[in-house]
Amino acid sequence: MSEGRLFPKSEEEIIFEKVKFFFLPERTAALIKNILHGKVSEKSLVCCHSGCDVCNETIYKCYMAVKRELTP
């Protein structure tokens, strides 16, 4: 049973849950959604080791967590 829910979580709920889990800013959710729908290549999420405010590696990990939860 999934937390006593009548319906499964929506894609957006899953994305926002994972963004929050990885301590990413809410604006990152739109990027992850665009990657999921093929509008942005997941290959663009490469860590450049320059100490970015929001590291692409963390975004990639979040994206993969979303993808795992959405894939049956």
Side-chain angles (χ1 to χ4, degrees):
M1 190 175 208
S2 64
E3 305 162 15
R5 295 176 61 107
L6 183 57
F7 299 103
K9 293 178 192 174
S10 70
E11 179 181 284
E12 287 192 9
E13 286 178 302
I14 292 170
I15 291 171
F16 277 106
E17 180 182 280
K18 297 303 180 192
V19 164
K20 191 174 185 177
F21 177 81
F22 283 93
F23 300 103
L24 293 167
E26 286 185 21
R27 60 185 164 85
T28 312
L31 173 60
I32 291 173
K33 188 172 183 176
N34 284 334
I35 295 168
L36 280 172
H37 293 281
K39 295 178 183 177
V40 175
S41 172
E42 70 179 71
K43 293 178 182 179
S44 67
L45 297 177
V46 176
C47 180
C48 61
H49 304 289
S50 65
C52 296
D53 179 37
V54 179
C55 181
N56 280 336
E57 183 177 12
T58 306
I59 296 171
Y60 181 75
K61 288 177 182 178
C62 180
Y63 161 70
M64 292 305 292
V66 168
K67 193 173 172 181
R68 272 192 304 275
E69 190 161 336
L70 288 174
T71 305

